[in-house]
Amino acid sequence: MTYDLSEVHEDFRRTCRAFTDQRVRPVVLEAERDGRPPERLWKEMGDAGLLGLLTPPDFGGSAGEGGEATAVAVLAEELTRACGGIAVSALVSAYMAAPHLVRHGTPAQQEHWVAALAAGEAIAAIAVTEPGAGSDVAGIGTRARRTGSGEHAEGSWVLDGRKMYITNAGLADVLVVGAKTDPGAGHRGITTFVVPAGTPGLSMGRPLAKMGWHSSDTREVVLDGVVLGEDAVLGVEGRGFHQIMDAFQLERVALAAMGVGHAAEALDTVTEYVRGREVAGEPLTGRQAIRHRLAAMEIELEAARVMTYKAADRLDRGHPEADRSVAAAKYFAAKAAAWIVDEAVQLFGGAGYLEETPIARHHRDVRILRIGGGTDEIQLEILAKRLVP
Ligand SMILES: Cc1cc2nc3c(=O)[nH]c(=O)nc-3n(C[C@H](O)[C@H](O)[C@H](O)COP(=O)(O)OP(=O)(O)OC[C@H]3O[C@@H](n4cnc5c(N)ncnc54)[C@H](O)[C@@H]3O)c2cc1C
């Protein structure tokens, strides 16, 4: 048992950090202003091997060595140190949407999308949440009806419904959409579909103005009589809920690791700031109240990091209790990160409250981690169900 990353993962961290410093930090302001990462960044991430960690080598990725979830956590942490909105755009495409195609896609679906997504030549979105159903995935109302004859070719599907808060919606070349194929069957009546952008009947709302993640594109998605062939079914009909729940595990590890990234960056930057700051002629670092605060932040960060990488490692090893570690890590890291970043704002004083400062951006961005990918309350419910069934 070890609490340190392997040399392979430490090497990968160095790769991610260098990429983040050279390619991501310089474009953060541009991305935050434009509401999306710059187009060229996708290809650069693809070329650097950052989008293919779960993709088999046949499709240009690097999966198969083991430790993939841990690598995704490392990437999430490092990208987030620069910018949560850019990080989540990449993570949603490569590690929240694309895994559905990698794991459940037909050979034709994989041929069409998997290599392109790993190369950063295509972007994916995952559309599950609806205006009336977020935490309650089984309660989604988007309907997929089989059409036997008449207007559409036999065996095709027609999708109708609305999806809400969909990351990458305005950029995506392909959406993985969850829909009810058998409304009477509860969670067993959900199926996922591959919906290419531009399919007639598929439309996106305007970008939603968000508290944070300004550089990610989030929109409502409308499916109005979207006609799809049988070949659009992704995975097994009626197994969509399980496929979505399964994908949530990596998604939650990535979100927990994003929390670690925000917290680590906040602690580093505020430590540097207080080192150089004098108040009433004395260095701030001479005051025990400040020194102890930094130490307490470090303890919380360490706990969040250990829990996050333990969860990633358990996921990588197929540990039977992986889902509990993932829920605990997602809950703890998101909350700890929000506290650490808030403490950092406090120690910056007025300089932490200026909208354009990096610390203010981290403060805006970290809040969503307690909501997206399953709220705090849902993680607690996962754990509570085991304790008091
Ligand atoms: C910026 C952003 C990006 C997003 N990106 C995507 C995306 O790409 N794809 C996608 O499909 N979704 C996405 N989401 C949706 C996100 O996953 C949901 O917002 C989240 O799961 C919560 O669902 P909800 O908003 O419907 O809240 P609700 O489910 O309505 O929850 C409201 C409150 O009730 C609590 N609650 C709900 N159920 C229970 C319960 N059983 N017990 C106790 N408390 C409960 C919740 O914890 C919460 O506090 C995104 C959201 C945002 C804000």
Side-chain angles (χ1 to χ4, degrees), residues 1-162:
M1 177 168 167
T2 170
Y3 287 98
D4 295 312
L5 289 184
S6 68
E7 209 26 62
V8 173
H9 283 120
E10 282 300 347
D11 258 357
F12 182 61
R13 184 187 292 286
R14 284 187 279 275
T15 303
C16 294
R17 188 161 296 185
F19 182 89
T20 300
D21 289 345
Q22 290 159 21
R23 307 282 178 185
V24 182
R25 290 190 192 272
V27 300
V28 170
L29 291 181
E30 174 190 345
E32 290 277 297
R33 185 197 60 213
D34 294 353
R36 54 193 294 172
E39 226 171 292
R40 63 185 181 282
L41 189 63
W42 290 95
K43 187 74 175 60
E44 289 172 355
M45 290 190 289
D47 289 346
L50 304 185
L51 303 177
L53 299 171
L54 248 66
T55 307
D58 286 356
F59 293 103
S62 58
E65 306 274 303
E68 285 85 0
T70 304
V72 170
V74 169
L75 174 68
E77 185 184 336
E78 293 301 324
L79 288 177
T80 304
R81 289 184 72 122
C83 180
I86 292 179
V88 77
S89 305
L91 295 167
V92 162
S93 181
Y95 303 115
M96 300 180 196
H100 287 269
L101 291 151
V102 172
R103 288 181 186 146
H104 309 292
T106 62
Q109 288 167 345
Q110 293 187 342
E111 198 63 44
H112 199 111
W113 296 112
V114 171
L117 290 168
E121 287 161 3
I123 298 171
I126 169 87
V128 176
T129 306
E130 302 184 350
S135 303
D136 177 23
V137 173
I140 60 170
T142 295
R143 186 77 167 89
R145 289 184 183 79
R146 230 182 237 288
T147 60
S149 59
E151 197 182 340
H152 310 299
E154 189 159 349
S156 67
W157 295 88
V158 181
L159 270 64
D160 290 286
R162 302 175 95 81

Side-chain angles (χ1 to χ4, degrees), residues 126-129 134-135 165-167 210 213 368 371 373 375 377-378:
I126 169 87
V128 176
T129 306
S135 303
Y165 315 122
I166 305 308
T167 304
K210 307 185 292 294
W213 279 0
I368 181 63
I371 297 170
T375 60
E377 292 75 14
I378 294 305

